[in-house]
Amino acid sequence: MNYTEKQREEMKDSLLYKEPVDPFNWIGLNKFNPILENLRNNLLMLAMLAFEVTIYRHQLYYRMRNKLTAPAARIIFHDITRQHLDNGIVNCAKYFINYFFYKFGLETCFLLAVNVIGQRMDFYAMLHAFSLIAVMYRRRRKAIAEIWPKYCCFQACLLTWQYFVCIGIPPAACKDYPWRFPNSAMDSNVIKWLYFPDFHTNPNPIFLVYDFMLLLCASLQRSIFDEENKAAVRLMAGDNVEICRDLDAASFSVHNPVPDFIHCRSYLDMLKVIMFSYLFWFVLTIIFITGTTRISLFCLGYLVGCFYFLLFGGELLLKPIKKILHFWDFLIAYNVFVITMKNILSILACGYINVLMVNNCWLIQLLSLSCTIKEYKQQGWDNLGQYLFCLPAVAETCLHELLLPTCGG
């Protein structure tokens, strides 16, 4: 094939050309010396599985011998229920050891989804972002529970497909992929962003660990949605029914079964005061820091949102609950939108930054495009270099726009 000189230099690092290919490596047969170091993780996993089975068998034998019934939920402290949550900081800690994922499992899955997007910043991260938008668009917990099995199925199919992508075709066939042909316009960074199988730029298998953790927590959350419909579990852990949105926040204490913690009768009350009284201002501080860290169009939205919330101040928390949630829904939606757009624009920042620096420096400055992922091959410009390179072009464009009407006259 008619490769260019640059392509020939790059292909020297390809698995097909740098050394002879052993066909047995593709099916997982490889020699290691010493072999114990290679089997260490497998033996550790088998030991953990054996320990888990031993514990469960012992518990089953103990209950059968003493004629005991298994608890409705797999918990550690069986004498702690929802009624003990507000009875001191020790009982509160025991309750959340038992039922943390029951109460905050959905939020944990959302955080893991954002972590997958931030760690990957590629095509499949974009699919994760779109799936996150589809789930959060339902907003209500009951509506999310209805589509959650589809979300788990999507995660499982995506993980399986990526596993086959990491395996790729056997290198012993000595056939390269179409995106490595001489007439292909893709470089290594674009192939890496698309997460294509490649003999030169191998897909990073560590990304599958992040996807697996998300799938694991999503599967656990699916079982939580099933347990929420059991009366025995609701009696011990409490229900996860959302509060009525038509209630007035100022008179909500009449309908609140939780004891008043404002007077701080215990350390738990002090923690509640810190959490519920100052968390609002802490969130606004994070939003302000996010908006001022960089100068871009997205950060401008964070600053506008921050000052809009500061316009209401603490009085926002006294508005009707439906209106409070309406404001926060807009903030969360904008946050997810920025995460998704940053992920989509990463293909420009990591793959086509050299093309943009020729005639579209204004776009780089407006969206603050920069490749923040270390594994990508640098285009020969760092962030400061991009900025200094674009300044003359931006200044020339502005000067041209200013002088054009005068010259035309």
Side-chain angles (χ1 to χ4, degrees):
M1 295 185 180
N2 298 324
Y3 289 104
T4 63
E5 189 62 29
K6 181 180 179 181
Q7 289 174 333
R8 290 180 184 276
E9 291 294 328
E10 191 174 16
M11 295 307 290
K12 288 181 179 180
D13 296 329
S14 177
L15 182 62
L16 295 179
Y17 306 105
K18 66 179 180 180
E19 61 184 5
V21 176
D22 187 358
F24 288 99
N25 292 342
W26 186 78
I27 58 176
L29 297 179
N30 195 6
K31 293 182 180 180
F32 288 91
N33 188 22
I35 192 173
L36 186 60
E37 293 184 2
N38 184 51
L39 298 178
R40 179 177 52 190
N41 294 332
N42 301 78
L43 295 176
L44 180 61
M45 187 180 302
L46 288 176
M48 294 177 62
L49 291 175
F51 180 75
E52 180 186 15
V53 172
T54 302
I55 294 296
Y56 282 126
R57 290 292 182 181
H58 177 74
Q59 290 178 342
L60 179 62
Y61 174 74
Y62 179 81
R63 294 191 183 101
M64 292 178 62
R65 187 180 63 180
N66 295 278
K67 298 181 180 180
L68 300 175
T69 58
R74 295 182 179 181
I75 55 179
I76 298 178
F77 305 102
H78 297 278
D79 56 339
I80 298 296
T81 62
R82 177 62 181 84
Q83 286 72 24
H84 301 88
L85 175 60
D86 303 300
N87 297 339
I89 193 170
V90 176
N91 288 338
C92 179
K94 290 181 178 180
Y95 175 83
F96 281 112
I97 292 175
N98 286 342
Y99 303 108
F100 176 82
F101 209 86
Y102 180 84
K103 286 295 183 181
F104 300 105
L106 187 60
E107 290 77 9
T108 303
C109 292
F110 289 158
L111 289 176
L112 284 176
V114 174
N115 177 67
V116 169
I117 298 170
Q119 293 290 342
R120 299 191 55 147
M121 295 296 288
D122 59 3
F123 175 75
Y124 290 96
M126 182 181 66
L127 297 182
H128 280 292
F130 287 150
S131 63
L132 179 63
I133 293 174
V135 171
M136 298 190 69
Y137 180 75
R138 307 299 293 267
R139 187 61 184 93
R140 295 291 186 125
R141 187 180 181 90
K142 197 68 176 177
I144 293 177
E146 294 176 357
I147 66 168
W148 198 256
K150 299 179 181 179
Y151 180 73
C152 294
C153 182
F154 169 76
Q155 296 293 337
C157 294
L158 199 62
L159 180 62
T160 305
W161 170 254
Q162 291 178 85
Y163 178 77
F164 288 112
V165 167
C166 289
I167 294 177
I169 62 176
C174 294
K175 296 292 184 181
D176 215 337
Y177 292 98
W179 38 89
R180 283 298 179 183
F181 289 170
N183 56 354
S184 177
M186 294 185 183
D187 61 0
S188 297
N189 286 346
V190 177
I191 294 173
K192 191 176 187 66
W193 190 88
L194 294 173
Y195 206 71
F196 280 172
D198 189 62
F199 294 121
H200 179 273
T201 307
N202 296 323
N204 191 354
I206 300 299
F207 289 161
L208 301 186
V209 177
Y210 303 126
D211 286 41
F212 171 76
M213 295 303 299
L214 175 59
L215 176 60
L216 176 63
C217 289
S219 302
L220 292 175
Q221 182 58 38
R222 182 178 179 180
S223 64
I224 293 297
F225 283 137
D226 294 335
E227 290 181 355
E228 288 179 358
N229 299 323
K230 299 178 181 179
V233 177
R234 292 200 304 268
L235 185 62
M236 294 191 307
D239 57 52
N240 286 331
V241 180
E242 295 180 350
I243 60 176
C244 180
R245 297 190 172 210
D246 297 328
L247 293 176
D248 188 5
S251 60
F252 182 67
S253 59
V254 180
H255 311 278
N256 192 0
V258 179
D260 187 7
F261 55 84
I262 297 298
H263 299 290
C264 296
R265 300 182 181 88
S266 63
Y267 289 109
L268 179 61
D269 291 344
M270 295 175 63
L271 290 178
K272 289 182 179 180
V273 169
I274 296 174
M275 175 67 67
F276 297 110
S277 297
Y278 301 104
L279 186 62
F280 172 75
W281 303 105
F282 176 75
V283 172
L284 292 187
T285 303
I286 296 298
I287 297 174
F288 181 78
I289 294 175
T290 304
T292 54
T293 303
R294 279 188 165 185
I295 301 176
S296 68
L297 183 63
F298 299 123
C299 294
L300 177 62
Y302 283 116
L303 289 178
V304 171
C306 177
F307 287 113
Y308 188 76
F309 276 93
L310 289 175
L311 182 64
F312 293 98
E315 296 181 359
L316 177 66
L317 303 178
L318 299 179
K319 293 182 178 295
I321 294 178
K322 185 175 182 179
K323 194 168 185 179
I324 297 175
L325 296 179
H326 187 69
F327 284 122
W328 286 104
D329 284 344
F330 273 112
L331 181 60
I332 295 174
Y334 180 75
N335 195 359
V336 176
F337 168 75
V338 171
I339 292 173
T340 306
M341 291 304 300
K342 282 286 187 179
N343 182 81
I344 296 175
L345 293 172
S346 64
I347 181 61
L348 299 178
C350 297
Y352 299 102
I353 192 67
N354 283 343
V355 179
L356 293 176
M357 280 192 290
V358 177
N359 295 316
N360 298 282
C361 282
W362 62 270
L363 184 63
I364 297 176
Q365 297 296 316
L366 180 65
L367 302 177
S368 186
L369 297 179
S370 61
C371 189
T372 58
I373 307 173
K374 298 180 180 179
E375 288 79 11
Y376 281 83
K377 182 179 179 181
Q378 294 297 323
Q379 302 281 345
W381 303 92
D382 54 5
N383 295 342
L384 180 60
Q386 294 173 11
Y387 182 76
L388 295 177
F389 179 84
C390 286
L391 275 181
V394 174
E396 181 181 357
T397 303
C398 296
L399 185 62
H400 178 72
E401 294 294 333
L402 290 174
L403 297 179
L404 186 60
T406 306
C407 298

